[in-house]
mmCIF file of all heavy atoms in Angstrom:
data_model
loop_
_atom_site.group_PDB
_atom_site.id
_atom_site.type_symbol
_atom_site.label_atom_id
_atom_site.label_comp_id
_atom_site.label_asym_id
_atom_site.label_seq_id
_atom_site.Cartn_x
_atom_site.Cartn_y
_atom_site.Cartn_z
ATOM 1 N N GLY A 107 73.419 -99.554 120.795
ATOM 2 C CA GLY A 107 73.302 -98.176 121.249
ATOM 3 C C GLY A 107 74.629 -97.685 121.770
ATOM 4 O O GLY A 107 75.533 -98.464 122.043
ATOM 5 N N PRO A 108 74.739 -96.372 121.901
ATOM 6 C CA PRO A 108 76.027 -95.801 122.229
ATOM 7 C C PRO A 108 76.542 -96.238 123.593
ATOM 8 O O PRO A 108 77.722 -96.242 123.829
ATOM 9 C CB PRO A 108 75.769 -94.302 122.183
ATOM 10 C CG PRO A 108 74.299 -94.158 122.344
ATOM 11 C CD PRO A 108 73.691 -95.394 121.764
ATOM 12 N N ALA A 109 75.661 -96.584 124.466
ATOM 13 C CA ALA A 109 76.123 -96.855 125.820
ATOM 14 C C ALA A 109 76.149 -98.339 126.125
ATOM 15 O O ALA A 109 76.041 -98.744 127.247
ATOM 16 C CB ALA A 109 75.251 -96.113 126.823
ATOM 17 N N SER A 110 76.252 -99.148 125.106
ATOM 18 C CA SER A 110 76.240 -100.574 125.378
ATOM 19 C C SER A 110 77.618 -101.177 125.190
ATOM 20 O O SER A 110 78.352 -100.819 124.306
ATOM 21 C CB SER A 110 75.312 -101.278 124.404
ATOM 22 O OG SER A 110 74.045 -100.781 124.508
ATOM 23 N N SER A 111 77.881 -102.083 126.010
ATOM 24 C CA SER A 111 79.098 -102.829 125.840
ATOM 25 C C SER A 111 78.820 -104.213 126.394
ATOM 26 O O SER A 111 77.960 -104.399 127.242
ATOM 27 C CB SER A 111 80.209 -102.151 126.611
ATOM 28 O OG SER A 111 81.313 -103.008 126.694
ATOM 29 N N VAL A 112 79.512 -105.157 125.888
ATOM 30 C CA VAL A 112 79.344 -106.499 126.427
ATOM 31 C C VAL A 112 80.668 -106.941 126.983
ATOM 32 O O VAL A 112 81.690 -106.808 126.348
ATOM 33 C CB VAL A 112 78.892 -107.479 125.336
ATOM 34 C CG1 VAL A 112 78.895 -108.888 125.863
ATOM 35 C CG2 VAL A 112 77.519 -107.098 124.855
ATOM 36 N N ILE A 113 80.618 -107.432 128.157
ATOM 37 C CA ILE A 113 81.836 -107.960 128.735
ATOM 38 C C ILE A 113 81.656 -109.451 128.869
ATOM 39 O O ILE A 113 80.673 -109.924 129.448
ATOM 40 C CB ILE A 113 82.114 -107.320 130.101
ATOM 41 C CG1 ILE A 113 82.397 -105.844 129.874
ATOM 42 C CG2 ILE A 113 83.272 -108.004 130.770
ATOM 43 C CD1 ILE A 113 82.833 -105.127 131.099
ATOM 44 N N LEU A 114 82.553 -110.162 128.315
ATOM 45 C CA LEU A 114 82.424 -111.601 128.352
ATOM 46 C C LEU A 114 83.455 -112.149 129.335
ATOM 47 O O LEU A 114 84.643 -111.897 129.201
ATOM 48 C CB LEU A 114 82.699 -112.139 126.962
ATOM 49 C CG LEU A 114 82.131 -113.508 126.723
ATOM 50 C CD1 LEU A 114 81.428 -113.508 125.394
ATOM 51 C CD2 LEU A 114 83.214 -114.538 126.723
ATOM 52 N N ILE A 115 82.932 -112.802 130.302
ATOM 53 C CA ILE A 115 83.832 -113.320 131.336
ATOM 54 C C ILE A 115 83.828 -114.831 131.267
ATOM 55 O O ILE A 115 82.784 -115.457 131.261
ATOM 56 C CB ILE A 115 83.366 -112.840 132.717
ATOM 57 C CG1 ILE A 115 83.401 -111.324 132.747
ATOM 58 C CG2 ILE A 115 84.223 -113.434 133.797
ATOM 59 C CD1 ILE A 115 83.070 -110.745 134.060
ATOM 60 N N GLU A 116 84.974 -115.356 131.228
ATOM 61 C CA GLU A 116 85.030 -116.804 131.137
ATOM 62 C C GLU A 116 85.788 -117.389 132.302
ATOM 63 O O GLU A 116 86.753 -116.832 132.803
ATOM 64 C CB GLU A 116 85.676 -117.216 129.823
ATOM 65 C CG GLU A 116 84.814 -116.784 128.660
ATOM 66 C CD GLU A 116 85.375 -117.229 127.332
ATOM 67 O OE1 GLU A 116 86.431 -117.837 127.325
ATOM 68 O OE2 GLU A 116 84.717 -116.948 126.317
ATOM 69 N N ASP A 117 85.309 -118.492 132.698
ATOM 70 C CA ASP A 117 85.886 -119.167 133.827
ATOM 71 C C ASP A 117 87.171 -119.876 133.391
ATOM 72 O O ASP A 117 87.196 -120.509 132.349
ATOM 73 C CB ASP A 117 84.858 -120.187 134.317
ATOM 74 C CG ASP A 117 85.362 -120.904 135.543
ATOM 75 O OD1 ASP A 117 86.228 -121.792 135.374
ATOM 76 O OD2 ASP A 117 84.893 -120.571 136.628
ATOM 77 N N PRO A 118 88.239 -119.771 134.153
ATOM 78 C CA PRO A 118 89.507 -120.360 133.700
ATOM 79 C C PRO A 118 89.412 -121.838 133.394
ATOM 80 O O PRO A 118 89.872 -122.292 132.350
ATOM 81 C CB PRO A 118 90.452 -120.113 134.860
ATOM 82 C CG PRO A 118 89.622 -119.700 136.015
ATOM 83 C CD PRO A 118 88.342 -119.153 135.466
#
Side-chain angles (χ1 to χ4, degrees):
S110 302
S111 168
V112 173
I113 294 187
L114 201 134
I115 298 184
E116 295 183 359
D117 182 284

